[in-house]
Amino acid sequence: MSFSTILSAVIEGLKVEFIHVEADVSNGLPVFHMVGYLSSEVKEAGERVKTAIKNSGFEYPAKRTVVNLSPATMRKHGASFDLPIAVSILTALGQIQKTEKECLIIGELSLGGSVKKVSGVLPIVMEAKEKGIGRCIVPSENVTEASLVSGMEIIGVATLQETVEAMRYGRKRKNAQNERIQTDENFRKTVQRESKFPDFADMKGQEFVKRAAEIAVAGGHNLLLIGPPGSGKSMTAKCIAGILPPLDLKESLEITKIYSVLGLVDERIPLITDRPFREVHHTATKAALVGGGMIPHPGEISLAHGGVLFLDELPEFQRDTLEVLRQPLEERYVNLSRTCGNYTFPANFMLVAAMNPCPCGCFPDAKCTCTPMQIQTYQNRISRPFLDRIDLCVEAPRVKYEYLSDERKGESSEEIRKRICRVRDIQRQRYKGTEIATNSMLEGKALNKYCRLGKAEKEVMEQAFSTMGLTARGYSRILKTARTIADLEASEAITISHLKESLGYRMDYRKHT
């Protein structure tokens, strides 16, 4: 045989594209030529592959070798084509007999013939299963990650020689963890619940802030904390990470896929079992937040998918950087357009933000040294449309000494988490069969259906709408928050007390300027 084809794959954004690696070895001038719209790192694969084949003890005669990566209209990038190129050449030389069972191969080669780990293995293997491919050969360092996909034959290889043996004899190496997490029930048994975040029990005072945090997590609402330095804003955000409801297996795999593409999974324990908590510094760029690059990669909002994105010192962010979050906060995904195509990344996250009321942080205390103009300029760094996408806005006042000196513990995060899980179960049953997961996702007809108000409640909202100068978006967010407050009290109907509490979380932090 002088021609062969091996199946491989590449990640485009978060989408998996299958690539056919074709090799033709024939008599002629001894050249090695690669075609197929290749990036520089793929073009360099030629020298790596030739040297690796020779150093692995295989014959590589002086012949004309042409390698094509199909389809030619798609740009190929990354080093994961090294191994399939080498296997395709050896098959064309007749040193490997191609098996009848279709097999997908990915891996990078060193000059000595060892196979190195690559990123994006999990989504590739998951897509291969969807397409009916039954066997995948991956680097041995990626085998644990690949084995998270059930019903797939995973072969881990450490060298090119082991790859050839696997092609010849079909040696199988599976991860034992794969057998333990086939169902949500077994998945939950494998997850450790020991939190690495601070406990609400250790937080002194700030009961109003704790209540707002519980409501926000229960309904998946966005939260803004405003207060002077040292009032516990950052600690509250980190405590929130400890009261998030647990992931199910489907959510866990979805989040792990995103981290796999960026090479951020742990080699030993690749499955992400905790909801993400991403804390972003105010120097972050737009591309860092939403994703970017010549071939776009997910940004921080996608890394926070299913969890929390924490923005501290909110007014210190560039205004145009914050504005790019407006569409993802509404749509729960982000679209990036490039000349090479359009890319869609998931971005269903809960936004938690914190800020000082003024540049010095003391306003409205008498110690404030800022002028009214400085305060107004500082607060106006955040636009009204951005604030409209935040459901709860609460003040975190300076903590009094009597709270700090009190040695008694408050309610623990675990107790709060139990209530949140109960409320999430209520929402799961209520929205069963729809794409709605939490109250924060209610829109249009669904909002009218599940947030129906009585006559007295409508009068309260009519008065609030005019006196508070609410927008339509702000109005709907008050209703959604009230729906969550009602769920916390196990009430099917939204009452006046639920609406009043919800209205209390629409604090206008600019009211004193």
Side-chain angles (χ1 to χ4, degrees):
M1 178 185 291
S2 63
F3 171 81
S4 71
T5 302
I6 295 295
L7 183 65
S8 189
V10 67
I11 300 288
E12 288 285 321
L14 289 180
K15 186 180 179 182
V16 177
E17 300 287 354
F18 291 107
I19 304 296
H20 291 275
V21 180
E22 303 171 338
D24 181 86
V25 181
S26 58
N27 294 325
L29 291 174
V31 296
F32 190 101
H33 190 53
M34 292 181 62
V35 296
Y37 197 16
L38 313 176
S39 64
S40 57
E41 63 264 30
V42 180
K43 291 177 182 177
E44 293 168 355
E47 296 301 321
R48 288 196 299 270
V49 168
K50 288 190 295 182
T51 307
I53 289 175
K54 293 175 182 177
N55 290 337
S56 297
F58 298 103
E59 293 184 9
Y60 192 85
K63 291 190 175 184
R64 176 182 174 82
T65 304
V66 178
V67 175
N68 177 44
L69 274 61
S70 174
T73 55
M74 182 188 305
R75 187 163 179 80
K76 322 302 183 307
H77 57 89
S80 60
F81 294 116
D82 292 6
L83 189 59
I85 290 172
V87 172
S88 184
I89 291 172
L90 291 174
T91 304
L93 289 170
Q95 298 185 46
I96 301 176
Q97 295 298 318
K98 190 170 182 180
T99 59
E100 294 183 1
K101 188 173 184 179
E102 191 169 20
C103 178
L104 184 142
I105 303 175
I106 53 174
E108 179 183 350
L109 281 173
S110 71
L111 296 181
S114 61
V115 180
K116 298 182 177 181
K117 66 180 294 187
V118 294
S119 59
V121 167
L122 180 60
I124 288 175
V125 175
M126 292 178 74
E127 187 67 19
K129 181 185 176 182
E130 288 290 323
K131 298 299 183 182
I133 299 166
R135 177 188 295 172
C136 288
I137 296 178
V138 302
S140 57
E141 293 176 280
N142 292 116
V143 72
T144 306
E145 177 185 344
S147 295
L148 295 174
V149 183
S150 61
M152 174 68 76
E153 182 182 352
I154 303 298
I155 302 175
V157 293
T159 64
L160 179 57
Q161 289 177 328
E162 285 188 16
T163 308
V164 173
E165 291 176 10
M167 293 291 289
R168 288 172 176 169
Y169 310 117
R171 187 182 59 186
K172 188 175 182 181
R173 181 186 296 177
K174 291 182 70 179
N175 183 4
Q177 185 188 13
N178 185 43
E179 301 298 333
R180 299 200 304 268
I181 60 170
Q182 299 307 308
T183 66
D184 279 336
E185 183 179 355
N186 288 340
F187 167 73
R188 292 191 182 99
K189 291 178 181 178
T190 66
V191 176
Q192 299 296 321
R193 292 300 176 202
E194 185 176 346
S195 178
K196 58 184 177 181
F197 297 101
D199 197 302
F200 268 122
D202 299 321
M203 190 171 175
K204 305 295 184 180
Q206 306 293 29
E207 296 304 318
F208 183 68
V209 174
K210 293 179 186 177
R211 169 70 172 172
E214 179 179 345
I215 294 170
V217 176
H221 304 290
N222 301 321
L223 173 66
L224 174 61
L225 303 168
I226 305 171
S231 58
K233 304 187 297 296
S234 297
M235 184 176 181
T236 300
K238 292 174 182 176
C239 287
I240 283 175
I243 63 173
L244 294 171
L247 293 169
D248 59 32
L249 180 56
K250 181 181 178 181
E251 292 174 316
S252 182
L253 288 171
E254 184 179 8
I255 294 170
T256 305
K257 279 173 60 177
I258 300 171
Y259 281 71
S260 173
V261 168
L262 296 175
L264 297 177
V265 295
D266 190 317
E267 178 187 323
R268 295 170 293 111
I269 310 174
L271 186 64
I272 294 175
T273 56
D274 294 320
R275 292 190 181 273
F277 179 83
R278 304 292 299 186
E279 185 173 358
V280 181
H281 195 263
H282 61 79
T283 57
T285 62
K286 289 187 287 186
L289 274 180
V290 302
M294 183 177 294
I295 299 173
H297 292 291
E300 286 290 341
I301 62 173
S302 295
L303 289 172
H305 178 67
V308 170
L309 179 72
F310 177 44
L311 305 182
D312 202 359
E313 305 295 343
L314 189 65
E316 300 299 334
F317 283 79
Q318 293 293 323
R319 182 162 178 159
D320 59 345
T321 301
L322 291 179
E323 294 304 299
V324 300
L325 293 178
R326 284 163 52 180
Q327 181 264 333
L329 284 171
E330 287 288 311
E331 305 295 337
R332 302 182 189 277
Y333 62 86
V334 59
N335 275 326
L336 298 178
S337 297
R338 296 291 185 272
T339 54
C340 54
N342 295 322
Y343 300 83
T344 300
F345 299 140
N348 186 7
F349 60 92
M350 173 185 166
L351 175 66
V352 178
M355 62 175 286
N356 296 330
C358 68
C360 77
C362 296
F363 180 80
D365 194 278
K367 296 178 181 179
C368 180
T369 59
C370 305
T371 66
M373 181 60 70
Q374 287 174 325
I375 296 172
Q376 186 175 13
T377 301
Y378 181 78
Q379 294 179 349
N380 285 342
R381 292 179 185 177
I382 307 168
S383 69
R384 180 63 182 269
F386 182 85
L387 287 172
D388 261 355
R389 287 162 171 80
I390 295 178
D391 305 332
L392 293 87
C393 180
V394 297
E395 185 177 359
R398 194 178 302 278
V399 182
K400 297 180 180 179
Y401 174 77
E402 51 263 37
Y403 291 121
L404 294 176
S405 59
D406 191 348
E407 296 182 0
R408 291 176 298 178
K409 293 276 188 178
E411 188 177 27
S412 70
S413 291
E414 186 57 35
E415 290 300 316
I416 298 173
R417 192 170 189 252
K418 288 178 182 177
R419 289 199 298 270
I420 288 171
C421 289
R422 177 180 58 80
V423 173
R424 286 292 183 102
D425 285 337
I426 291 174
Q427 294 172 62
R428 190 177 297 111
Q429 293 300 319
R430 177 188 296 139
Y431 307 129
K432 191 174 182 179
T434 71
E435 295 183 357
I436 301 171
T438 60
N439 291 332
S440 64
M441 300 175 69
L442 290 171
E443 298 291 344
K445 293 181 180 179
L447 180 68
N448 295 331
K449 178 180 179 180
Y450 297 110
C451 296
R452 189 176 290 111
L453 301 180
K455 182 178 179 181
E457 287 76 19
K458 286 182 179 179
E459 291 176 355
V460 169
M461 288 306 299
E462 182 180 2
Q463 183 180 4
F465 189 85
S466 59
T467 57
M468 296 177 67
L470 297 175
T471 63
R473 183 179 286 113
Y475 172 82
S476 66
R477 291 187 180 277
I478 289 171
L479 291 184
K480 289 185 277 190
T481 303
R483 176 69 271 167
T484 301
I485 296 170
D487 288 344
L488 281 165
E489 296 182 2
S491 172
E492 185 61 33
I494 297 175
T495 66
I496 291 177
S497 65
H498 301 146
L499 289 174
K500 286 183 175 180
E501 183 176 1
S502 179
L503 287 166
Y505 297 124
R506 295 297 297 182
M507 182 193 79
D508 184 357
Y509 67 85
R510 303 174 187 177
K511 61 185 177 182
H512 298 299
T513 59

